[in-house]
Amino acid sequence: MQKVLGLSFLFSCLVLLFFSRYSNRVPLILGSGLQTNDIDLVLNRKNCMETVVKIIGENIPSIQALNLSNNRLFQLNDLAELVKQAPGLKQLNLSKNELKSERELEKIKDFRLEELWLQENPMCENFHAHNLYVSAVRQRFPRLIRLDGLELPPPITFDVPSPTMLPAVKDGYFPNEEIRALIQRFIQQYISVYDSGDRQGLLNAYHENSCCSISIPNSAQNPVKSNLAEYVKDSRNIKKLKDPVMRQKLLKHSRLCIVAFLNELPNTLHDPNSFLVDVHTHMPTMLSFTLNGVFKETEGKYQGSIRAFSRVFITVPAENGGLCIVNDKLFVRMASGEEIRRAFVTPAPTPSSSPVPTLLPPQQDMLHSFSLQSGMNLEWSQKCLQDNDWDFIKAAQVFQKLQSQRSIPPEAFKK
Ligand SMILES: *[C@@H]1O[C@H](CO)[C@@H](O)[C@H](O)[C@H]1NC(C)=O
Ligand SMILES: *[C@@H]1O[C@H](CO)[C@@H](O)[C@H](O)[C@H]1NC(C)=O
């Protein structure tokens, strides 16, 4: 049997049905070529279309093409029934009908059509431009290859041939271990200076011509109430800030200006346990990443307030093998209840001069002499000893190695 339904075949079915079911009073039209037969079947009548659908479903469910051109169709409700009967239909001719709205196509969108004729329907006039017409049709028939006889550009589909697992969601991203170590060292050094109370030491972290800005979210409607007042005057939230002069002014430029600006921001203490790093770009000449986390303010009006932050650093390689910041964008917002609850749960190492009471007396002695010899404070000396199972010699070797690599943060020596 032929897969493409010609009119004559459909016609014969309909004539049969016509004589078996309908009275002579029903006029028949079935395409222009057949009007000479003096029999008109109006497919726009509900039971006629229902019957055609039924005939096709029972006799030729494998039909691939159907010509319904010139049948005064003004709706496609009944044709929609054909989707179940003949799911393999690929070509459909609906031209020269009375379809007024693209919504009619919605009803038959489950056909996986590759070719469709719609020309000379009133709905075609509803579009100001041809591409809008094409996209409205394609929205319903993403597999369409030809519309009104014209080839369409290849469709963009998101058909996934077989079930594909999406990659698991990760907490933070480093492309490799080397970059992880580099960034972690950078963050540790940067934050320890940043939190030290004097941010002058950050001068060397910035490139001569680097840029820096701070932004607080739009939602902070009332900055006084949201405790972010201290950041408002410097906030360069370009979604809110439309004035180009102000935009320019709030972008801190050159490392001297940046460090002077950072020095004016409230003193802070970051919670290293909250840190989450995402690397977005890494090239031999550039490394860009975002540091997310929380800090608390350690002085001033909002002392003790916990803030959440995201800090986007764009860096280039520094001469000493580390990273040199060329752009630093700091977003500060109020921390959520959950972020506040989790902040500083595990205490961050803070310089302390009192011996930790849980140590055994010989450990306390070892700690004091290690601190004396290394110059590190008790907190860091204890950390180093603990990491080396209280083996004094081993700890001293590790210390010397790290010291020669300059990878011990300055805060370790603060007493
Ligand atoms: C489809 O029907 C229209 C109108 O009756 C006719 O002009 C056209 O030739 C038909 N196409 C085919 C392939 O039969
Ligand atoms: C669809 O119908 C139109 C108008 O009747 C006709 O010009 C065109 O050739 C038909 N296309 C096919 C593929 O039958």
Side-chain angles (χ1 to χ4, degrees):
M1 176 192 290
Q2 63 180 61
K3 288 270 171 65
V4 178
L5 181 66
L7 272 182
S8 49
F9 180 82
L10 186 59
F11 177 67
S12 4
C13 302
L14 289 170
V15 169
L16 277 174
L17 270 151
F18 171 70
F19 285 111
S20 61
R21 297 205 183 164
Y22 301 111
S23 77
N24 288 351
R25 273 171 283 135
V26 181
L28 274 150
I29 297 181
L30 229 183
S32 49
L34 296 158
Q35 279 167 3
T36 47
N37 288 289
D38 268 354
I39 307 168
D40 282 353
L41 173 68
V42 182
L43 281 182
N44 68 5
R45 303 240 165 156
K46 186 169 166 59
N47 24 14
C48 288
M49 186 56 106
E50 271 177 5
T51 309
V52 169
V53 168
K54 192 158 176 280
I55 296 169
I56 294 173
E58 284 173 6
N59 299 286
I60 36 170
S62 59
I63 182 176
Q64 293 190 351
L66 181 62
N67 192 352
L68 295 175
S69 162
N70 206 2
N71 275 293
R72 300 185 209 162
L73 298 177
F74 57 88
Q75 47 88 352
L76 298 174
N77 297 348
D78 303 310
L79 186 62
E81 292 300 309
L82 190 64
V83 176
K84 283 179 236 118
Q85 310 287 339
L89 191 79
K90 290 200 172 70
Q91 284 167 268
L92 180 63
N93 198 340
L94 289 172
S95 61
K96 291 197 184 163
N97 280 297
E98 304 295 330
L99 301 172
K100 293 197 174 51
S101 159
E102 61 182 287
R103 283 195 299 275
E104 291 304 320
L105 300 177
E106 202 63 34
K107 299 171 186 169
I108 57 162
K109 70 176 169 39
D110 289 336
F111 279 126
R112 294 151 83 92
L113 293 183
E114 290 175 2
E115 181 168 355
L116 177 65
W117 293 71
L118 277 177
Q119 65 195 18
E120 295 184 63
N121 277 284
M123 64 158 277
C124 302
E125 309 302 316
N126 298 346
F127 300 94
H128 300 302
H130 188 254
N131 64 339
L132 298 177
Y133 165 62
V134 171
S135 102
V137 174
R138 232 179 187 180
Q139 213 179 315
R140 278 74 181 207
F141 306 105
R143 291 154 194 272
L144 209 64
I145 296 167
R146 235 165 296 146
L147 177 61
D148 297 326
L150 293 175
E151 200 95 8
L152 297 177
I156 302 161
T157 63
F158 293 97
D159 267 356
V160 184
S162 56
T164 309
M165 290 296 289
L166 290 175
V169 176
K170 280 192 193 174
D171 280 351
Y173 172 72
F174 294 98
N176 58 47
E177 285 308 308
E178 196 187 331
I179 289 178
R180 178 198 297 270
L182 184 66
I183 291 178
Q184 281 178 344
R185 198 163 64 230
F186 167 84
I187 290 174
Q188 197 184 30
Q189 291 177 352
Y190 184 94
I191 296 296
S192 67
V193 179
Y194 192 90
D195 283 352
S196 69
D198 177 9
R199 297 181 179 141
Q200 287 301 325
L202 293 175
L203 263 180
N204 290 331
Y206 287 89
H207 186 273
E208 182 72 44
N209 298 316
S210 50
C211 292
C212 174
S213 61
I214 184 170
S215 179
I216 65 170
N218 264 346
S219 58
Q221 292 295 346
N222 184 342
V224 176
K225 221 167 148 191
S226 72
N227 288 359
L228 291 169
E230 306 214 27
Y231 303 92
V232 159
K233 69 177 186 355
D234 298 301
S235 175
R236 187 174 180 270
N237 182 337
I238 56 173
K239 220 172 153 186
K240 210 157 143 185
L241 193 71
K242 301 293 177 201
D243 177 8
V245 178
M246 277 313 280
R247 281 186 177 188
Q248 180 69 25
K249 211 173 143 200
L250 291 174
L251 185 64
K252 314 295 169 199
H253 203 258
S254 92
R255 72 170 148 214
L256 276 175
C257 294
I258 292 171
V259 173
F261 163 65
L262 294 178
N263 250 335
E264 282 173 21
L265 293 178
N267 278 350
T268 51
L269 179 66
H270 286 70
D271 176 8
N273 293 311
S274 70
F275 287 178
L276 198 64
V277 177
D278 275 304
V279 176
H280 3 98
T281 315
H282 67 105
M283 296 188 289
T285 49
M286 189 188 97
L287 184 59
S288 149
F289 56 93
T290 304
L291 169 65
N292 302 287
V294 299
F295 63 77
K296 94 175 146 200
E297 288 185 12
T298 54
E299 54 150 26
K301 201 170 158 193
Y302 300 113
Q303 186 169 9
S305 295
I306 307 254
R307 282 89 168 62
F309 74 96
S310 286
R311 199 156 185 167
V312 183
F313 289 107
I314 301 177
T315 66
V316 295
E319 275 167 16
N320 64 5
L323 299 171
C324 175
I325 305 165
V326 290
N327 200 333
D328 170 10
K329 175 134 192 161
L330 172 62
F331 301 84
V332 181
R333 60 175 171 83
M334 286 172 75
S336 68
E338 177 64 11
E339 284 165 332
I340 293 172
R341 201 181 57 73
R342 282 169 33 190
F344 300 98
V345 170
T346 321
T350 41
S352 102
S353 52
S354 60
V356 186
T358 50
L359 298 179
L360 302 170
Q363 288 176 328
Q364 293 209 12
D365 289 344
M366 196 192 278
L367 177 60
H368 278 103
S369 61
F370 193 84
S371 172
L372 208 65
Q373 293 187 28
S374 68
M376 290 200 299
N377 60 40
L378 290 172
E379 187 79 31
W380 281 78
S381 301
Q382 187 184 336
K383 212 165 129 147
C384 186
L385 283 167
Q386 266 167 350
D387 287 351
N388 293 288
D389 300 325
W390 294 93
D391 180 339
F392 193 96
I393 297 184
K394 206 167 133 204
Q397 285 168 345
V398 169
F399 167 79
Q400 272 171 359
K401 184 158 169 254
L402 291 176
Q403 177 74 336
S404 69
Q405 294 168 344
R406 295 172 175 276
S407 49
I408 300 178
E411 67 167 301
F413 301 96
K414 217 165 270 160
K415 295 194 184 175

